[in-house]
Amino acid sequence: MSLHDQDGGEPRPPHQLRTEEDEEERAYGVDPDFVDSVVDLLDANRVGEVRAVTDDLHAADVADLIEQIDPDHREALVEVLKPGFDAEVLSYLNPDLREEVVEAFEPKELAAAVAELETDDAVDLIQDLDEEQQREILENLPPETRALVQENLTYEEYTAGRLMQRDLVAVPQFWTVGRTIDYLRSGAEDLPETFYDLFVVDPMHRVIGTVPLSRILRARRSVAMAELQNDDFHTIPATMDQEEVANLFRQYALVSAPVVDAGDRLIGVITVDDVVHIIDEEAEDDFFKLGGVGDASIYRTVIDTARSRLKWLGLNLVTAFLAAGVISLFSATIEKVVALAVLMPIVASMGGNAGTQALTVAVRALATRELSSSNAPRVVGKEVLVGLFNGVVFATLVGLIAGFWFGPAIGVVIACAMTINLFVAGLFGVMIPLALDRFGVDPAVASGVFLTTVTDVVGFFAFLGLAAAFLL
Amino acid sequence: MSLHDQDGGEPRPPHQLRTEEDEEERAYGVDPDFVDSVVDLLDANRVGEVRAVTDDLHAADVADLIEQIDPDHREALVEVLKPGFDAEVLSYLNPDLREEVVEAFEPKELAAAVAELETDDAVDLIQDLDEEQQREILENLPPETRALVQENLTYEEYTAGRLMQRDLVAVPQFWTVGRTIDYLRSGAEDLPETFYDLFVVDPMHRVIGTVPLSRILRARRSVAMAELQNDDFHTIPATMDQEEVANLFRQYALVSAPVVDAGDRLIGVITVDDVVHIIDEEAEDDFFKLGGVGDASIYRTVIDTARSRLKWLGLNLVTAFLAAGVISLFSATIEKVVALAVLMPIVASMGGNAGTQALTVAVRALATRELSSSNAPRVVGKEVLVGLFNGVVFATLVGLIAGFWFGPAIGVVIACAMTINLFVAGLFGVMIPLALDRFGVDPAVASGVFLTTVTDVVGFFAFLGLAAAFLL
């Protein structure tokens, strides 16, 4: 069943080209077959047909198409899309590609397209451009839009002020449902395209309540806003960090929320679609940090990508040399019992993995605020016990295998080292993120290096040290 | 500035207890000080005051309080909250704690609370309970609610059918704005608490359009739904996987979407608040998988936690022994040149880290659908070049250090091994997730083990093999 069968007589959207198998997986958006068909049309210079198949696409799908097409055809595609270009496509585009696409436009063309956007989308787009491009676009915007965009840009990046939409509906408390609806019907100029809540404001333009639209639609014309308004609402200071904004929306399942300035006056609104975007970004951020990559995207060049990864690899190299230093202290022991060289990576590797498990849970719990000073001691205690428990389990297993392989003495030594290292891994796996968080350092970014250093050093030291003490 | 200053004369919410410093960080929800104050009240058996301070809390905040209070006081707190308990609290509660809290209630009490929930929240709550508890609650629900809940439960877990809210507003195409508003005002029984879109349906109850509420509020009474409706909408089959649902909402910035049965008939609606929850869950899932923990939460017991991590550690042990096996092939070489034992973990560790970087980006790009068969060859090619580039950089660096430490011959050998391993790491870092995805295996869960196996084995083999060939 296609998602678009209900569209009536409209032209079939591109994903109808899909095979049966693809359909199971993906029932919307553009797919590789569609991308290929556009490439073929571009190669044959059938510009009109390219325009025809892309015309009915949602802006998000056009953005996907631009992302997925190979770089050689990207320029040609953008050239075809230029007339009547929908600037919303740029909002959906990966930031790394956005710049490339923006450069294909004359500032005037781009300004005309940007002027059609809502303030928040325009700001999102403009903030990433270089100063020259920013200036050119701003100059070509209608004065009022320009003023709003510039005002949003005065707020720091990653704050509510940058995210907020300026068009909103605010009404006084004494207005009735009837008067409100009449006002909306009058087609007042600055009404947003879509909105979900009305804000009830006092004469100082401070928010005193919110009213979901569904509540207005269900009330009689004579009912006053004061009766409908929700008093249990949350205003967002324009300076609030976007991660905080996302947490607030998530915590109270909000769809839109009013943004206020330092004087508590209503100046904008943030809607859930922007928040979904932030939640994705923040989750991606933590995911990348755990994987040891900073800011990443598959659209970066080889050199940019390689350079962005050097830092983490460099840090890891320091750790690795530290571990090597520990091993070199026991060169004489290894020379006599070469089995130690064979087995020692097992102790370090198991410690690193067990520690990463504890660290992963702790970093996530800190990000979602489930881990706080109220329950930190309990969680640390738990992780230590988990480390000990798994330490004993794997110590027994590895001790037996190593014992059969290289003799019982080595089995006992590796079992003891394993228990120590998994205990330490559990302890530091949760203590390192907690400590970094306490010192205001993002635990996602730095915990991994510290942890590996600890588990490598402790692992090698415990194993080789015990061996030196008891085997020779 | 407090978020609640606008509340008028209502009692101050609990976060007013915060210190200035905390306030910067967190301007909503419960905080450790508030948790402590509740603990004190519980210890002093001042039940009335506990009720007073929790009464004005949002259900999400009550859930946070239950989560953050220590286990010893949790039972007492739930006991205090029981009279007039808001079942919505359970929806916000971590699933691991939910079961514990549910057990404190009599089935009848719980059913009464659940009956107040919207269908989707009731289903979300009931689906995780054991069969006995499910049956008892269902029996005590009002017949109509029970039928709807049971119908949702017939859909598989993690599908749209489980998520959907059954109460919705559907109107025929010929209805005018006036008639629609009159219908909503008449207080028709099954209207949802809050809604964002109306669905326009044909006589077969198939969706033919959606109308955002803001569009209705702005139109004159005489305008027909046919004129207002959005034709470019997406219906969600009830069998669609929830991850797919989240992607659809994200792709088109939806706030609500109609759910249809196999016959294309409208049977429910999914709203963005559920989707935010899923996006969080899916992101957490991938994060945990990358960190080598399956299903995790800080509320699990020590034994449950330890057991859930055994599998991953066990797999890692197999990899570690494989690597040990490779090393043991070169025991004789190590015995002669003990420096090899000192340096070999560096080669393996750098390969593992570089590979994890490539893997992290690939796993994420697969999850967000940025990586597809259209661009896979390009991305693989890029990662190989990145691996080679960083391989050469670190080979030079490590080669020089090792050369100074143990002599030039060893420096050259480790440089070659490093280049080989980082090249292999880049290649496999992106190929392994792509291959797993092609075979329908979740790349997030299994990629890591395969990758470490490859980089460990290749790293040790290249370094010790080259050493055996050229140093002796």
Side-chain angles (χ1 to χ4, degrees):
Chain A
M1 195 206 67
S2 160
L3 290 175
H4 277 261
D5 282 352
Q6 300 86 351
D7 277 0
E10 287 188 46
R12 294 262 147 169
H15 52 69
Q16 301 276 345
L17 302 169
R18 278 164 301 138
T19 63
E20 195 61 33
E21 196 182 79
D22 284 335
E23 189 145 21
E24 290 262 342
E25 272 185 38
R26 184 165 200 179
Y28 61 88
V30 304
D31 60 20
D33 291 340
F34 179 66
V35 176
D36 289 346
S37 68
V38 171
V39 166
D40 291 343
L41 290 176
L42 285 170
D43 281 339
N45 211 8
R46 285 150 70 183
V47 172
E49 282 167 76
V50 175
R51 231 166 253 151
V53 295
T54 53
D55 233 26
D56 289 322
L57 288 185
H58 188 283
D61 293 330
V62 176
D64 275 1
L65 177 62
I66 295 174
E67 286 174 358
Q68 287 184 26
I69 207 163
D70 60 300
D72 299 338
H73 289 87
R74 199 172 283 145
E75 211 177 311
L77 175 64
V78 172
E79 211 47 53
V80 172
L81 295 173
K82 257 186 179 177
F85 186 75
D86 178 2
E88 223 185 312
V89 170
L90 295 173
S91 320
Y92 286 103
L93 209 60
N94 184 295
D96 285 326
L97 280 185
R98 201 186 279 168
E99 220 168 308
E100 191 183 320
V101 173
V102 162
E103 273 165 18
F105 285 85
E106 292 295 314
K108 279 212 176 137
E109 294 173 316
L110 202 59
V114 169
E116 298 294 310
L117 293 177
E118 310 243 334
T119 0
D120 55 342
D121 290 331
V123 169
D124 183 45
L125 182 64
I126 292 174
Q127 66 184 4
D128 290 332
L129 304 180
D130 62 42
E131 256 177 64
E132 174 74 11
Q133 287 174 314
Q134 283 196 3
R135 198 179 46 74
E136 286 180 337
I137 294 181
L138 284 171
E139 273 173 8
N140 286 291
L141 282 180
E144 209 191 329
T145 316
R146 189 197 311 154
L148 289 176
V149 168
Q150 279 177 323
E151 207 182 305
N152 274 36
L153 286 171
T154 61
Y155 291 101
E156 269 187 73
E157 223 183 325
Y158 311 118
T159 62
R162 283 284 175 103
L163 287 174
M164 66 185 171
Q165 161 61 29
R166 302 303 292 266
D167 295 334
L168 52 81
V169 186
V171 296
Q173 210 172 13
F174 63 86
W175 275 27
T176 59
V177 167
R179 181 155 178 194
T180 304
I181 292 182
D182 292 343
Y183 162 73
L184 293 172
R185 281 186 188 151
S186 73
E189 250 192 30
D190 288 340
L191 288 185
E193 168 78 16
T194 314
F195 50 99
Y196 312 105
D197 295 288
L198 298 193
F199 303 116
V200 182
V201 290
D202 69 9
M204 305 290 288
H205 218 68
R206 286 180 303 220
V207 188
I208 48 182
T210 63
V211 190
L213 297 192
S214 52
R215 213 178 277 178
I216 294 177
L217 279 167
R218 283 198 295 203
R220 315 238 147 237
R221 280 184 71 89
S222 57
V223 177
M225 286 299 131
E227 287 177 63
L228 293 180
Q229 79 184 40
N230 205 339
D231 300 319
D232 181 20
F233 64 94
H234 297 271
T235 55
I236 295 177
T239 52
M240 186 185 261
D241 184 83
Q242 64 171 17
E243 192 167 356
E244 209 52 27
V245 174
N247 280 333
L248 194 67
F249 267 75
R250 184 192 270 141
Q251 175 85 347
Y252 302 113
L254 304 177
V255 170
S256 75
V259 180
V260 297
D261 66 13
D264 248 6
R265 277 175 302 269
L266 177 64
I267 53 170
V269 55
I270 292 180
T271 49
V272 69
D273 52 319
D274 296 312
V275 172
V276 166
H277 186 65
I278 294 164
I279 291 177
D280 272 335
E281 258 181 25
E282 303 281 349
E284 180 166 289
D285 223 43
D286 282 351
F287 186 78
F288 281 164
K289 283 171 185 161
L290 187 68
V293 279
D295 198 18
S297 111
I298 58 169
Y299 306 110
R300 290 266 171 94
T301 61
V302 170
I303 292 301
D304 278 357
T305 305
R307 214 184 290 147
S308 73
R309 295 189 191 165
L310 278 177
K311 202 176 72 180
W312 181 264
L313 288 175
L315 264 173
N316 179 63
L317 189 65
V318 176
T319 297
F321 268 107
L322 252 171
V326 173
I327 299 171
S328 75
L329 296 178
F330 299 96
S331 297
T333 319
I334 293 172
E335 224 162 3
K336 278 174 209 143
V337 191
V338 79
L340 297 178
V342 173
L343 294 174
M344 67 187 187
I346 297 176
V347 181
S349 152
M350 291 298 283
N353 273 277
T356 303
Q357 291 179 328
L359 179 142
T360 303
V361 176
V363 167
R364 177 71 190 170
L366 281 168
T368 58
R369 300 252 164 98
E370 289 189 306
L371 182 54
S372 68
S373 56
S374 315
N375 55 12
R378 256 177 294 149
V379 174
V380 172
K382 201 184 76 175
E383 286 297 344
V384 169
L385 288 176
V386 169
L388 259 183
F389 181 91
N390 282 341
V392 171
V393 169
F394 285 102
T396 313
L397 193 61
V398 173
L400 283 172
I401 300 175
F404 278 111
W405 195 356
F406 298 107
I410 286 195
V412 172
V413 166
I414 200 170
C416 293
M418 193 77 120
T419 308
I420 293 170
N421 208 21
L422 263 68
F423 166 80
V424 168
L427 179 65
F428 281 83
V430 60
M431 288 294 284
I432 289 173
L434 274 171
L436 289 172
D437 186 59
R438 179 67 60 91
F439 290 117
V441 180
D442 180 354
V445 73
S447 297
V449 189
F450 286 110
L451 177 73
T452 333
T453 310
V454 171
T455 53
D456 275 5
V457 168
V458 170
F460 289 129
F461 206 92
F463 181 52
L464 299 175
L466 287 170
F470 297 108
L471 290 187
L472 298 185
Chain B
M1 195 206 65
S2 160
L3 291 175
H4 277 263
D5 281 351
Q6 300 85 353
D7 277 359
E10 288 188 45
R12 294 263 146 167
H15 52 70
Q16 302 276 345
L17 301 171
R18 277 163 302 136
T19 64
E20 195 62 31
E21 196 182 78
D22 284 337
E23 188 146 19
E24 290 263 340
E25 272 185 37
R26 186 164 198 181
Y28 60 88
V30 304
D31 61 20
D33 290 340
F34 178 66
V35 177
D36 288 346
S37 69
V38 171
V39 166
D40 291 342
L41 291 175
L42 285 170
D43 281 340
N45 212 10
R46 286 149 70 182
V47 172
E49 283 167 74
V50 175
R51 230 166 253 152
V53 295
T54 53
D55 233 25
D56 290 322
L57 287 185
H58 188 282
D61 293 330
V62 177
D64 275 1
L65 176 62
I66 296 175
E67 286 174 359
Q68 286 184 26
I69 207 164
D70 61 300
D72 298 339
H73 288 88
R74 198 172 283 145
E75 211 176 311
L77 175 64
V78 172
E79 211 48 52
V80 173
L81 295 173
K82 256 184 178 178
F85 186 74
D86 177 2
E88 223 186 312
V89 170
L90 296 173
S91 320
Y92 286 103
L93 210 58
N94 183 295
D96 284 325
L97 279 185
R98 200 186 278 166
E99 219 168 309
E100 192 184 320
V101 173
V102 161
E103 273 165 18
F105 286 84
E106 292 296 313
K108 276 208 178 139
E109 295 172 315
L110 201 59
V114 169
E116 298 294 312
L117 292 177
E118 310 245 333
T119 359
D120 54 343
D121 290 331
V123 170
D124 182 44
L125 182 63
I126 292 175
Q127 65 184 3
D128 290 332
L129 304 179
D130 63 43
E131 254 176 68
E132 175 74 10
Q133 286 175 316
Q134 281 196 4
R135 198 179 45 73
E136 285 179 337
I137 293 182
L138 284 170
E139 272 173 8
N140 286 292
L141 283 180
E144 209 191 329
T145 315
R146 188 197 311 151
L148 288 176
V149 168
Q150 280 176 323
E151 207 181 304
N152 275 35
L153 286 171
T154 61
Y155 290 101
E156 268 187 74
E157 222 182 327
Y158 312 118
T159 62
R162 283 283 176 103
L163 287 174
M164 66 187 172
Q165 162 60 30
R166 303 302 293 266
D167 294 335
L168 52 82
V169 185
V171 295
Q173 210 170 11
F174 64 85
W175 274 28
T176 59
V177 167
R179 182 156 179 192
T180 305
I181 293 183
D182 292 344
Y183 163 74
L184 294 171
R185 282 188 186 148
S186 73
E189 250 192 31
D190 288 339
L191 288 185
E193 167 78 16
T194 315
F195 50 99
Y196 311 104
D197 295 287
L198 299 192
F199 302 116
V200 181
V201 290
D202 70 9
M204 304 290 288
H205 218 67
R206 285 180 304 218
V207 188
I208 47 181
T210 64
V211 191
L213 297 193
S214 52
R215 212 178 278 179
I216 295 177
L217 279 168
R218 281 199 295 202
R220 317 236 146 239
R221 279 183 72 88
S222 57
V223 176
M225 285 299 132
E227 286 176 62
L228 292 180
Q229 79 185 38
N230 204 339
D231 299 320
D232 181 22
F233 64 94
H234 298 270
T235 55
I236 294 176
T239 53
M240 187 186 261
D241 184 82
Q242 64 172 18
E243 193 169 354
E244 206 55 25
V245 174
N247 279 333
L248 193 66
F249 268 74
R250 183 191 272 141
Q251 174 87 346
Y252 303 113
L254 304 177
V255 168
S256 75
V259 180
V260 297
D261 66 12
D264 249 4
R265 275 177 303 269
L266 177 64
I267 54 171
V269 56
I270 293 179
T271 49
V272 68
D273 53 317
D274 297 313
V275 171
V276 166
H277 187 64
I278 293 164
I279 290 178
D280 272 335
E281 260 182 23
E282 303 280 349
E284 179 164 290
D285 222 44
D286 282 351
F287 186 79
F288 281 165
K289 283 172 186 161
L290 188 68
V293 278
D295 200 15
S297 109
I298 59 169
Y299 306 109
R300 291 266 170 94
T301 61
V302 171
I303 292 301
D304 277 356
T305 304
R307 213 184 290 146
S308 74
R309 296 190 190 164
L310 277 177
K311 202 176 71 181
W312 180 265
L313 288 175
L315 262 173
N316 178 63
L317 189 64
V318 175
T319 296
F321 267 107
L322 251 171
V326 173
I327 298 171
S328 75
L329 296 177
F330 300 96
S331 297
T333 318
I334 292 171
E335 225 161 3
K336 278 175 208 141
V337 191
V338 80
L340 297 177
V342 173
L343 294 173
M344 68 186 187
I346 297 177
V347 181
S349 153
M350 291 297 284
N353 273 277
T356 303
Q357 291 179 328
L359 179 142
T360 303
V361 176
V363 167
R364 179 69 192 173
L366 281 168
T368 59
R369 299 253 165 97
E370 290 190 304
L371 182 54
S372 68
S373 55
S374 315
N375 56 10
R378 255 177 295 150
V379 175
V380 172
K382 201 185 77 175
E383 286 297 345
V384 169
L385 287 176
V386 170
L388 258 182
F389 180 90
N390 282 342
V392 171
V393 169
F394 285 102
T396 313
L397 193 61
V398 174
L400 284 172
I401 301 175
F404 277 109
W405 195 357
F406 297 108
I410 285 196
V412 172
V413 164
I414 200 171
C416 293
M418 193 76 119
T419 309
I420 293 170
N421 208 21
L422 262 68
F423 166 80
V424 166
L427 179 65
F428 281 83
V430 59
M431 289 294 285
I432 290 172
L434 274 171
L436 289 172
D437 186 60
R438 179 68 60 88
F439 290 117
V441 180
D442 180 354
V445 73
S447 297
V449 189
F450 285 111
L451 178 73
T452 333
T453 310
V454 171
T455 53
D456 275 4
V457 167
V458 170
F460 290 130
F461 206 92
F463 181 53
L464 299 175
L466 286 170
F470 297 107
L471 290 188
L472 300 184

